[in-house]
Amino acid sequence: AQSVSQHNHHVILSEAASLELGCNYSYGGTVNLFWYVQYPGQHLQLLLKYFSGDPLVKGIKGFEAEFIKSKFSFNLRKPSVQWSDTAEYFCAVDNQGGKLIFGQGTELSVKP
Amino acid sequence: DAGVTQSPTHLIKTRGQQVTLRCSPKSGHDTVSWYQQALGQGPQFIFQYYEEEERQRGNFPDRFSGHQFPNYSSELNVNALLLGDSALYLCASSSTGPGNQPQHFGDGTRLSIL
């Protein structure tokens, strides 16, 4: 069965620190990859997506992610976090059938 | 441009009861998916509707059923509620237009079972 694993459950950073959130998936075929963010009290929002092409994708608010097919990974990065990045981050995989498989999420707390 | 809207926002039911949750997709979207998000977990796929048919289904029992209407809105029905059905239920919509289309999520319905 397909699964998505997010390595960090809770990450605490100071403002201006760099961020990297790990995501690995298990599925051997072609996949679409996503990072969603859920700010406190808000709905899930799409941060970025990978369908094909350049494995380094850029999203909103300065986030980027790199798809490494050989490692089944899609890690999320941001060079310098802000207090407003405090949120829960979800990695998700779609085997192109429209069924999203989510990781369990990483809670990011940014201290001002 | 309206996003995905869900109703109600909160609901309290008792064990054994039945519940219906509603979703209106984002304008221009024709596909609706439902997810269950338990506390501290990522969303889990329940099923997806397109052209008024269930197109895919996750690992949920038959107590969970759905419907899609000609205007693309959708309902999620849960029968014989169990305590473990307490969760946030999310609706997501997408378009089957050219290329892959990401899903857009609503705010969810918080269902509490007493």
Side-chain angles (χ1 to χ4, degrees):
Chain A
Q2 297 170 56
S3 65
V4 177
S5 176
Q6 292 184 238
H7 314 303
N8 314 100
H9 298 304
H10 192 187
V11 172
I12 302 173
L13 295 172
S14 297
E15 275 193 317
S18 64
L19 169 73
E20 181 159 3
L21 301 182
C23 173
N24 286 89
Y25 65 93
S26 65
Y27 182 71
T30 303
V31 294
N32 298 324
L33 299 158
F34 306 85
W35 277 96
Y36 281 87
V37 60
Q38 191 167 32
Y39 298 104
Q42 296 188 28
H43 59 268
L44 278 166
Q45 300 173 40
L46 182 67
L47 258 186
L48 48 78
K49 61 186 185 291
Y50 173 81
F51 291 150
S52 64
D54 188 344
L56 184 62
V57 293
K58 296 191 183 300
I60 60 171
K61 304 188 181 186
F63 286 91
E64 65 178 31
E66 185 176 13
F67 170 49
I68 303 179
K69 190 174 180 180
S70 61
K71 295 185 178 181
F72 299 91
S73 71
F74 190 55
N75 292 353
L76 180 71
R77 299 194 291 249
K78 186 171 184 178
S80 175
V81 295
Q82 301 173 315
W83 176 79
S84 58
D85 293 325
T86 294
E88 187 146 23
Y89 292 79
F90 293 94
C91 179
V93 172
D94 165 11
N95 65 349
Q96 302 190 324
K99 172 184 172 180
L100 283 175
I101 307 296
F102 283 86
Q104 65 188 110
T106 297
E107 186 181 346
L108 173 65
S109 300
V110 180
K111 298 185 292 185
Chain B
D1 186 12
V4 180
T5 58
Q6 292 186 243
S7 63
T9 53
H10 293 90
L11 206 47
I12 299 175
K13 292 285 187 178
T14 57
R15 282 178 296 174
Q17 285 190 308
Q18 176 265 342
V19 68
T20 297
L21 310 181
R22 295 176 176 82
C23 172
S24 292
K26 182 179 168 78
S27 177
H29 286 183
D30 55 8
T31 301
V32 172
S33 302
W34 287 92
Y35 294 82
Q36 181 195 67
Q37 187 177 16
L39 206 59
Q41 302 294 319
Q44 282 198 297
F45 177 80
I46 302 175
F47 43 51
Q48 183 180 80
Y49 276 84
Y50 171 67
E51 291 188 337
E52 303 178 48
E53 299 275 340
E54 184 182 289
R55 188 161 73 168
Q56 286 197 81
R57 189 179 182 91
N59 190 24
F60 279 80
D62 291 345
R63 297 187 297 110
F64 289 77
S65 63
H67 190 78
Q68 186 179 34
F69 299 93
N71 67 352
Y72 309 120
S73 67
S74 177
E75 288 181 349
L76 164 65
N77 301 292
V78 188
N79 294 324
L81 287 166
L82 304 173
L83 291 177
D85 295 331
S86 293
L88 180 67
Y89 288 85
L90 297 169
C91 173
S93 72
S94 57
S95 168
T96 53
N100 294 298
Q101 303 293 330
Q103 295 181 27
H104 295 250
F105 285 81
D107 289 334
T109 294
R110 174 77 58 191
L111 176 62
S112 299
I113 311 301
L114 303 179

